[in-house]
Amino acid sequence: MPEPRTWRYVAGSAVLGLTLAATAATAAGPWDSGQRKAERARATAADPRGGAHHAGPPAADAPRAPAPAPSAPGVLRALGAPTGPGATDSADAPGTPRTTRTSDPTDWAGLLGPLLADPALGPLRTASLVDTATGRQLYAAGPGTLMTPASTIKIATATAALSALGPDHRIGTTTVTGADGRTVTLVGGGDPTLDRARLTKLAQATARALKAPGRTPGPVRLAYDTGLYSGPALHPIGPNENIAPLSALMTDEGRLDGSRSGPAPRTADPAGDTARAFAGLLRAAGVTVQGAPAPGRAPHGTRAVPLARTDSAPLDDLVERTLTTSDNDLAEALARQTALARKQPASAAGAAKAVHDELAGLGLPVTGARFADGSGLDRNDRVSAALLTGILTRAADPARPALRPVLTGLPVGGFSGTLAGRFGTGTTAPGAGLVRAKTGTLTGVNTLTGTVVTADGRLLAFAFLAGRTDSPGTAQPALDRLAAALAAPR
């Protein structure tokens, strides 16, 4: 039984730091109370590769094999009476929104400027650093410049979906029949997490409905409806191990190797494969299915007779999975769910408009931003560092608890998801357990966006975006040094 959901990701974030420090010795690594137990195994256990190899050879979000778990620095002193440089007064107690800060003695430009100038980050680099409790910009370098974000755009996708739909929204897959009961239609609702177990239960429930008192059981034909989505089925990057063809009906994200995250061989026909598997499951449940499944449209209105339904996990869980494992298929599904919520077509264009408009409604700086896809695989995506830190600041706002999964889903440096193999040694070690961030990797593009708990207990949002980089092997450590410097005691 999953634990009741909690939304405690306090602005001061000392509680998060305490949680991470207290659990750093465990083999699984730390997870704060906002991460549902049901998602822990799914997000971190199955495949240590984590996120996608977005383009070219292994220049991907997937980290190297993780080293033994490091220990997070203690942050207990953030809970006591603050003293020393950068300390907050009593009004800044953890969990209390800070409204004023008379001074900030940290030389953020002196700290971050030299690190941002690292040649490993290429000739194009931007940055934004914001105190989430006050909204104050602490450091900026081209914060409004539009850059290719790679997978960090998933933060925008996830936020728009939560804002438009709410954290309890579920994506349904249904079966319906017509008045004569001769054709059963499997209707895709856009849930890429549908798996064999749930498909089996849907078939069994459909069989029971067909055999219910008052019905005349007989042979049926099976149709499958993918009409919820419109536009091209292939992502602009084409057939690729990082994403299946975009379909409203699929099982296990179209994966053919049994994996749960990372690159994998994909079926070219996810809907057809799912329908054929469903036909076999119906037969196993005692239903005579004639012929092979065929595409078709489900009956609507008074002609439709609902049979059965299976639902995805709640949206807050889906968001956490999307961000922790850099799940491209799920990110595209969330973008299209946002489009549907805003009465737009469930296409790339409809999703782009919906995400843009939803973020604009949150008062975020979206002028010029482009959301060409939901996953970040498309190089035509454009966002600014200021937009990304603005999103994270909104997610940390105590008045917006529905957005909290955007924070709790971020991978934890040195412990989980796409950061499991990073922040382990050397100058990046101070970030272990205290940096939570979404990675982004395309050939020549490396980005890192997230939050960090400082030595004085503040929660800062950061975005570092680099373009025309030579190698992820040098760019990623440079980004990690930037984030780790924020957590290191000063």
Short mmCIF file of all heavy atoms in Angstrom, two decimals, residues 309-363:
data_model
loop_
_atom_site.label_atom_id
_atom_site.label_comp_id
_atom_site.label_asym_id
_atom_site.label_seq_id
_atom_site.Cartn_x
_atom_site.Cartn_y
_atom_site.Cartn_z
N ARG A 309 -11.70 -0.39 -17.86
CA ARG A 309 -10.72 0.70 -17.89
C ARG A 309 -9.55 0.36 -16.97
O ARG A 309 -9.73 -0.27 -15.92
CB ARG A 309 -11.39 2.00 -17.42
CG ARG A 309 -10.46 3.20 -17.32
CD ARG A 309 -11.20 4.41 -16.75
NE ARG A 309 -10.30 5.55 -16.60
CZ ARG A 309 -10.28 6.61 -17.40
NH1 ARG A 309 -11.12 6.68 -18.42
NH2 ARG A 309 -9.43 7.60 -17.20
N THR A 310 -8.37 0.76 -17.36
CA THR A 310 -7.20 0.71 -16.49
C THR A 310 -6.54 2.07 -16.50
O THR A 310 -6.47 2.73 -17.55
CB THR A 310 -6.20 -0.38 -16.93
OG1 THR A 310 -5.10 -0.39 -16.01
CG2 THR A 310 -5.67 -0.14 -18.33
N ASP A 311 -6.07 2.50 -15.34
CA ASP A 311 -5.50 3.84 -15.21
C ASP A 311 -4.02 3.79 -14.86
O ASP A 311 -3.55 2.87 -14.17
CB ASP A 311 -6.23 4.63 -14.11
CG ASP A 311 -7.60 5.09 -14.55
OD1 ASP A 311 -7.71 5.71 -15.63
OD2 ASP A 311 -8.57 4.82 -13.82
N SER A 312 -3.31 4.79 -15.32
CA SER A 312 -1.91 4.95 -14.96
C SER A 312 -1.79 5.33 -13.49
O SER A 312 -2.79 5.60 -12.81
CB SER A 312 -1.27 6.05 -15.81
OG SER A 312 -1.77 7.32 -15.41
N ALA A 313 -0.55 5.39 -13.01
CA ALA A 313 -0.29 6.00 -11.71
C ALA A 313 -0.69 7.47 -11.77
O ALA A 313 -0.83 8.05 -12.85
CB ALA A 313 1.19 5.86 -11.37
N PRO A 314 -0.88 8.12 -10.63
CA PRO A 314 -1.23 9.54 -10.64
C PRO A 314 -0.14 10.37 -11.31
O PRO A 314 1.03 9.98 -11.37
CB PRO A 314 -1.35 9.89 -9.15
CG PRO A 314 -1.55 8.59 -8.46
CD PRO A 314 -0.82 7.57 -9.27
N LEU A 315 -0.52 11.53 -11.79
CA LEU A 315 0.40 12.39 -12.54
C LEU A 315 1.62 12.76 -11.72
O LEU A 315 2.72 12.89 -12.26
CB LEU A 315 -0.34 13.65 -13.00
CG LEU A 315 0.46 14.61 -13.87
CD1 LEU A 315 0.92 13.94 -15.16
CD2 LEU A 315 -0.37 15.86 -14.19
N ASP A 316 1.47 12.95 -10.41
CA ASP A 316 2.64 13.32 -9.63
C ASP A 316 3.70 12.21 -9.69
O ASP A 316 4.91 12.48 -9.79
CB ASP A 316 2.28 13.68 -8.19
CG ASP A 316 1.41 12.67 -7.49
OD1 ASP A 316 1.16 11.59 -8.06
OD2 ASP A 316 0.96 12.96 -6.36
N ASP A 317 3.28 10.95 -9.65
CA ASP A 317 4.22 9.84 -9.79
C ASP A 317 4.84 9.83 -11.19
O ASP A 317 6.04 9.56 -11.35
CB ASP A 317 3.52 8.51 -9.54
CG ASP A 317 3.21 8.27 -8.08
OD1 ASP A 317 3.75 9.00 -7.23
OD2 ASP A 317 2.43 7.36 -7.78
N LEU A 318 4.03 10.08 -12.21
CA LEU A 318 4.54 10.08 -13.58
C LEU A 318 5.57 11.18 -13.78
O LEU A 318 6.57 10.99 -14.47
CB LEU A 318 3.38 10.24 -14.57
CG LEU A 318 2.30 9.17 -14.55
CD1 LEU A 318 1.26 9.44 -15.62
CD2 LEU A 318 2.90 7.78 -14.73
N VAL A 319 5.32 12.34 -13.18
CA VAL A 319 6.28 13.44 -13.28
C VAL A 319 7.60 13.05 -12.63
O VAL A 319 8.69 13.28 -13.19
CB VAL A 319 5.70 14.71 -12.64
CG1 VAL A 319 6.80 15.72 -12.31
CG2 VAL A 319 4.68 15.35 -13.57
N GLU A 320 7.54 12.45 -11.45
CA GLU A 320 8.78 12.05 -10.77
C GLU A 320 9.55 11.03 -11.60
O GLU A 320 10.78 11.12 -11.74
CB GLU A 320 8.45 11.50 -9.39
CG GLU A 320 8.00 12.58 -8.43
CD GLU A 320 7.76 12.07 -7.01
OE1 GLU A 320 7.50 10.86 -6.86
OE2 GLU A 320 7.85 12.87 -6.07
N ARG A 321 8.85 10.07 -12.17
CA ARG A 321 9.52 9.09 -13.02
C ARG A 321 10.14 9.76 -14.25
O ARG A 321 11.27 9.44 -14.64
CB ARG A 321 8.51 8.02 -13.45
CG ARG A 321 9.07 7.02 -14.46
CD ARG A 321 8.07 5.92 -14.74
NE ARG A 321 8.47 5.12 -15.87
CZ ARG A 321 7.82 4.05 -16.32
NH1 ARG A 321 6.70 3.67 -15.70
NH2 ARG A 321 8.24 3.37 -17.37
N THR A 322 9.40 10.68 -14.86
CA THR A 322 9.92 11.39 -16.04
C THR A 322 11.24 12.08 -15.75
O THR A 322 12.20 11.99 -16.53
CB THR A 322 8.89 12.43 -16.52
OG1 THR A 322 7.68 11.76 -16.88
CG2 THR A 322 9.41 13.20 -17.73
N LEU A 323 11.30 12.77 -14.61
CA LEU A 323 12.48 13.56 -14.30
C LEU A 323 13.62 12.70 -13.76
O LEU A 323 14.78 12.92 -14.11
CB LEU A 323 12.11 14.64 -13.28
CG LEU A 323 11.09 15.67 -13.77
CD1 LEU A 323 10.74 16.65 -12.66
CD2 LEU A 323 11.60 16.42 -14.99
N THR A 324 13.31 11.73 -12.91
CA THR A 324 14.37 10.92 -12.31
C THR A 324 15.11 10.10 -13.36
O THR A 324 16.34 10.04 -13.35
CB THR A 324 13.79 9.97 -11.25
OG1 THR A 324 13.16 10.74 -10.22
CG2 THR A 324 14.89 9.13 -10.61
N THR A 325 14.39 9.49 -14.28
CA THR A 325 15.01 8.61 -15.26
C THR A 325 15.14 9.24 -16.63
O THR A 325 15.60 8.60 -17.58
CB THR A 325 14.21 7.31 -15.40
OG1 THR A 325 12.92 7.60 -15.94
CG2 THR A 325 14.07 6.61 -14.06
N SER A 326 14.77 10.51 -16.77
CA SER A 326 14.80 11.21 -18.06
C SER A 326 14.04 10.42 -19.12
O SER A 326 14.55 10.09 -20.19
CB SER A 326 16.24 11.47 -18.52
OG SER A 326 16.28 12.47 -19.53
N ASP A 327 12.79 10.13 -18.82
CA ASP A 327 11.95 9.27 -19.65
C ASP A 327 11.37 10.07 -20.81
O ASP A 327 10.45 10.88 -20.63
CB ASP A 327 10.83 8.67 -18.79
CG ASP A 327 10.09 7.56 -19.48
OD1 ASP A 327 9.75 7.72 -20.67
OD2 ASP A 327 9.84 6.52 -18.84
N ASN A 328 11.88 9.84 -22.01
CA ASN A 328 11.44 10.60 -23.18
C ASN A 328 10.01 10.29 -23.58
O ASN A 328 9.23 11.19 -23.91
CB ASN A 328 12.38 10.32 -24.36
CG ASN A 328 13.79 10.79 -24.11
OD1 ASN A 328 14.01 11.90 -23.65
ND2 ASN A 328 14.76 9.94 -24.41
N ASP A 329 9.65 9.00 -23.60
CA ASP A 329 8.30 8.62 -24.01
C ASP A 329 7.25 9.22 -23.08
O ASP A 329 6.22 9.72 -23.52
CB ASP A 329 8.18 7.09 -24.01
CG ASP A 329 9.21 6.43 -24.90
OD1 ASP A 329 8.94 6.27 -26.10
OD2 ASP A 329 10.29 6.10 -24.38
N LEU A 330 7.53 9.18 -21.79
CA LEU A 330 6.58 9.72 -20.82
C LEU A 330 6.51 11.24 -20.91
O LEU A 330 5.43 11.83 -20.77
CB LEU A 330 6.98 9.26 -19.42
CG LEU A 330 5.97 9.47 -18.29
CD1 LEU A 330 4.57 9.06 -18.67
CD2 LEU A 330 6.44 8.72 -17.05
N ALA A 331 7.64 11.88 -21.17
CA ALA A 331 7.63 13.33 -21.32
C ALA A 331 6.76 13.75 -22.50
O ALA A 331 5.98 14.72 -22.41
CB ALA A 331 9.05 13.86 -21.51
N GLU A 332 6.85 13.04 -23.61
CA GLU A 332 6.01 13.37 -24.76
C GLU A 332 4.54 13.13 -24.44
O GLU A 332 3.65 13.90 -24.87
CB GLU A 332 6.43 12.54 -25.98
CG GLU A 332 7.83 12.81 -26.49
CD GLU A 332 8.02 14.23 -27.00
OE1 GLU A 332 7.03 14.94 -27.23
OE2 GLU A 332 9.19 14.64 -27.15
N ALA A 333 4.25 12.10 -23.67
CA ALA A 333 2.86 11.85 -23.27
C ALA A 333 2.34 12.96 -22.38
O ALA A 333 1.19 13.41 -22.53
CB ALA A 333 2.76 10.50 -22.55
N LEU A 334 3.16 13.45 -21.45
CA LEU A 334 2.73 14.54 -20.57
C LEU A 334 2.46 15.81 -21.37
O LEU A 334 1.51 16.55 -21.07
CB LEU A 334 3.78 14.80 -19.50
CG LEU A 334 4.07 13.67 -18.51
CD1 LEU A 334 5.05 14.14 -17.44
CD2 LEU A 334 2.79 13.15 -17.87
N ALA A 335 3.28 16.07 -22.38
CA ALA A 335 3.05 17.25 -23.20
C ALA A 335 1.71 17.15 -23.92
O ALA A 335 0.96 18.15 -24.02
CB ALA A 335 4.19 17.42 -24.20
N ARG A 336 1.38 15.97 -24.41
CA ARG A 336 0.11 15.81 -25.13
C ARG A 336 -1.08 15.79 -24.17
O ARG A 336 -2.17 16.25 -24.55
CB ARG A 336 0.17 14.54 -25.98
CG ARG A 336 0.98 14.78 -27.26
CD ARG A 336 1.54 13.51 -27.88
NE ARG A 336 2.23 13.84 -29.12
CZ ARG A 336 3.44 14.42 -29.18
NH1 ARG A 336 4.07 14.74 -28.07
NH2 ARG A 336 3.99 14.69 -30.36
N GLN A 337 -0.90 15.31 -22.96
CA GLN A 337 -1.98 15.42 -21.98
C GLN A 337 -2.25 16.88 -21.65
O GLN A 337 -3.40 17.29 -21.44
CB GLN A 337 -1.60 14.66 -20.70
CG GLN A 337 -1.54 13.14 -20.86
CD GLN A 337 -2.91 12.53 -21.12
OE1 GLN A 337 -3.87 12.81 -20.40
NE2 GLN A 337 -3.00 11.69 -22.13
N THR A 338 -1.20 17.69 -21.61
CA THR A 338 -1.37 19.13 -21.39
C THR A 338 -2.14 19.75 -22.54
O THR A 338 -3.01 20.61 -22.34
CB THR A 338 0.01 19.80 -21.23
OG1 THR A 338 0.74 19.17 -20.18
CG2 THR A 338 -0.14 21.28 -20.91
N ALA A 339 -1.81 19.33 -23.77
CA ALA A 339 -2.54 19.84 -24.93
C ALA A 339 -4.03 19.53 -24.82
O ALA A 339 -4.89 20.40 -25.07
CB ALA A 339 -1.96 19.24 -26.21
N LEU A 340 -4.36 18.30 -24.45
CA LEU A 340 -5.76 17.93 -24.32
C LEU A 340 -6.46 18.76 -23.25
O LEU A 340 -7.61 19.17 -23.41
CB LEU A 340 -5.87 16.44 -24.00
CG LEU A 340 -5.41 15.49 -25.11
CD1 LEU A 340 -5.33 14.07 -24.58
CD2 LEU A 340 -6.36 15.57 -26.31
N ALA A 341 -5.75 19.00 -22.14
CA ALA A 341 -6.35 19.78 -21.05
C ALA A 341 -6.64 21.21 -21.49
O ALA A 341 -7.59 21.83 -21.01
CB ALA A 341 -5.42 19.79 -19.84
N ARG A 342 -5.83 21.74 -22.41
CA ARG A 342 -6.03 23.11 -22.89
C ARG A 342 -6.78 23.16 -24.21
O ARG A 342 -6.71 24.14 -24.95
CB ARG A 342 -4.69 23.82 -23.00
CG ARG A 342 -4.02 24.08 -21.64
CD ARG A 342 -2.88 25.07 -21.75
NE ARG A 342 -3.37 26.40 -22.11
CZ ARG A 342 -3.65 27.37 -21.25
NH1 ARG A 342 -3.52 27.15 -19.94
NH2 ARG A 342 -4.08 28.54 -21.67
N LYS A 343 -7.46 22.06 -24.55
CA LYS A 343 -8.32 21.99 -25.75
C LYS A 343 -7.52 22.21 -27.03
O LYS A 343 -7.99 22.81 -27.99
CB LYS A 343 -9.46 23.02 -25.67
CG LYS A 343 -10.23 23.01 -24.37
CD LYS A 343 -10.86 21.66 -24.08
CE LYS A 343 -11.67 21.67 -22.79
NZ LYS A 343 -12.19 20.33 -22.44
N GLN A 344 -6.31 21.67 -27.04
CA GLN A 344 -5.46 21.71 -28.23
C GLN A 344 -5.35 20.30 -28.81
O GLN A 344 -5.55 19.31 -28.09
CB GLN A 344 -4.07 22.22 -27.89
CG GLN A 344 -4.01 23.65 -27.40
CD GLN A 344 -4.35 24.64 -28.50
OE1 GLN A 344 -4.04 24.43 -29.66
NE2 GLN A 344 -5.02 25.72 -28.11
N PRO A 345 -5.02 20.17 -30.08
CA PRO A 345 -4.78 18.83 -30.63
C PRO A 345 -3.64 18.15 -29.90
O PRO A 345 -2.66 18.80 -29.51
CB PRO A 345 -4.42 19.10 -32.10
CG PRO A 345 -4.94 20.48 -32.38
CD PRO A 345 -4.86 21.23 -31.10
N ALA A 346 -3.73 16.84 -29.75
CA ALA A 346 -2.66 16.09 -29.09
C ALA A 346 -1.58 15.76 -30.11
O ALA A 346 -1.33 14.62 -30.48
CB ALA A 346 -3.22 14.82 -28.46
N SER A 347 -0.93 16.82 -30.57
CA SER A 347 0.14 16.74 -31.56
C SER A 347 1.32 17.53 -31.04
O SER A 347 1.24 18.20 -30.00
CB SER A 347 -0.33 17.34 -32.88
OG SER A 347 -0.62 18.73 -32.72
N ALA A 348 2.43 17.50 -31.77
CA ALA A 348 3.60 18.27 -31.35
C ALA A 348 3.27 19.76 -31.32
O ALA A 348 3.64 20.47 -30.38
CB ALA A 348 4.77 18.00 -32.29
N ALA A 349 2.56 20.23 -32.32
CA ALA A 349 2.21 21.66 -32.37
C ALA A 349 1.23 22.02 -31.26
O ALA A 349 1.36 23.06 -30.61
CB ALA A 349 1.62 22.00 -33.74
N GLY A 350 0.23 21.17 -31.04
CA GLY A 350 -0.72 21.45 -29.97
C GLY A 350 -0.07 21.42 -28.61
O GLY A 350 -0.38 22.25 -27.74
N ALA A 351 0.84 20.47 -28.41
CA ALA A 351 1.54 20.40 -27.13
C ALA A 351 2.43 21.62 -26.93
O ALA A 351 2.52 22.16 -25.81
CB ALA A 351 2.38 19.12 -27.07
N ALA A 352 3.11 22.07 -27.98
CA ALA A 352 3.98 23.24 -27.88
C ALA A 352 3.19 24.47 -27.43
O ALA A 352 3.63 25.21 -26.54
CB ALA A 352 4.66 23.51 -29.21
N LYS A 353 2.04 24.67 -28.03
CA LYS A 353 1.22 25.83 -27.65
C LYS A 353 0.69 25.69 -26.23
O LYS A 353 0.69 26.65 -25.45
CB LYS A 353 0.06 25.99 -28.63
CG LYS A 353 -0.88 27.15 -28.25
CD LYS A 353 -1.90 27.43 -29.33
CE LYS A 353 -2.92 28.48 -28.88
NZ LYS A 353 -2.31 29.69 -28.33
N ALA A 354 0.27 24.49 -25.88
CA ALA A 354 -0.30 24.27 -24.55
C ALA A 354 0.74 24.50 -23.46
O ALA A 354 0.46 25.15 -22.44
CB ALA A 354 -0.88 22.87 -24.45
N VAL A 355 1.94 23.95 -23.64
CA VAL A 355 2.99 24.12 -22.63
C VAL A 355 3.36 25.60 -22.52
O VAL A 355 3.49 26.13 -21.41
CB VAL A 355 4.22 23.26 -22.98
CG1 VAL A 355 5.39 23.61 -22.08
CG2 VAL A 355 3.87 21.78 -22.85
N HIS A 356 3.53 26.25 -23.65
CA HIS A 356 3.85 27.69 -23.64
C HIS A 356 2.79 28.48 -22.88
O HIS A 356 3.10 29.28 -21.99
CB HIS A 356 3.96 28.19 -25.08
CG HIS A 356 4.25 29.65 -25.21
ND1 HIS A 356 3.27 30.62 -25.04
CD2 HIS A 356 5.39 30.32 -25.48
CE1 HIS A 356 3.80 31.82 -25.21
NE2 HIS A 356 5.09 31.67 -25.47
N ASP A 357 1.52 28.24 -23.21
CA ASP A 357 0.45 29.02 -22.60
C ASP A 357 0.29 28.71 -21.11
O ASP A 357 -0.01 29.61 -20.32
CB ASP A 357 -0.87 28.75 -23.33
CG ASP A 357 -0.87 29.30 -24.76
OD1 ASP A 357 0.08 30.03 -25.11
OD2 ASP A 357 -1.80 28.98 -25.51
N GLU A 358 0.50 27.46 -20.73
CA GLU A 358 0.37 27.10 -19.32
C GLU A 358 1.46 27.77 -18.49
O GLU A 358 1.20 28.28 -17.40
CB GLU A 358 0.42 25.58 -19.16
CG GLU A 358 -0.08 25.09 -17.83
CD GLU A 358 -1.57 25.33 -17.60
OE1 GLU A 358 -2.34 25.25 -18.58
OE2 GLU A 358 -1.94 25.61 -16.44
N LEU A 359 2.68 27.78 -19.01
CA LEU A 359 3.77 28.43 -18.29
C LEU A 359 3.58 29.95 -18.25
O LEU A 359 3.89 30.60 -17.25
CB LEU A 359 5.11 28.08 -18.93
CG LEU A 359 5.50 26.60 -18.88
CD1 LEU A 359 6.84 26.37 -19.58
CD2 LEU A 359 5.54 26.08 -17.45
N ALA A 360 3.08 30.50 -19.34
CA ALA A 360 2.79 31.94 -19.35
C ALA A 360 1.76 32.27 -18.28
O ALA A 360 1.85 33.32 -17.62
CB ALA A 360 2.30 32.37 -20.73
N GLY A 361 0.79 31.39 -18.09
CA GLY A 361 -0.22 31.61 -17.07
C GLY A 361 0.33 31.59 -15.66
O GLY A 361 -0.29 32.12 -14.73
N LEU A 362 1.51 30.98 -15.50
CA LEU A 362 2.18 30.99 -14.19
C LEU A 362 3.06 32.22 -14.02
O LEU A 362 3.77 32.33 -13.01
CB LEU A 362 3.03 29.72 -14.03
CG LEU A 362 2.26 28.40 -13.93
CD1 LEU A 362 3.24 27.23 -13.96
CD2 LEU A 362 1.41 28.36 -12.66
N GLY A 363 3.02 33.12 -15.00
CA GLY A 363 3.80 34.35 -14.90
C GLY A 363 5.28 34.16 -15.20
O GLY A 363 6.11 34.96 -14.74
#
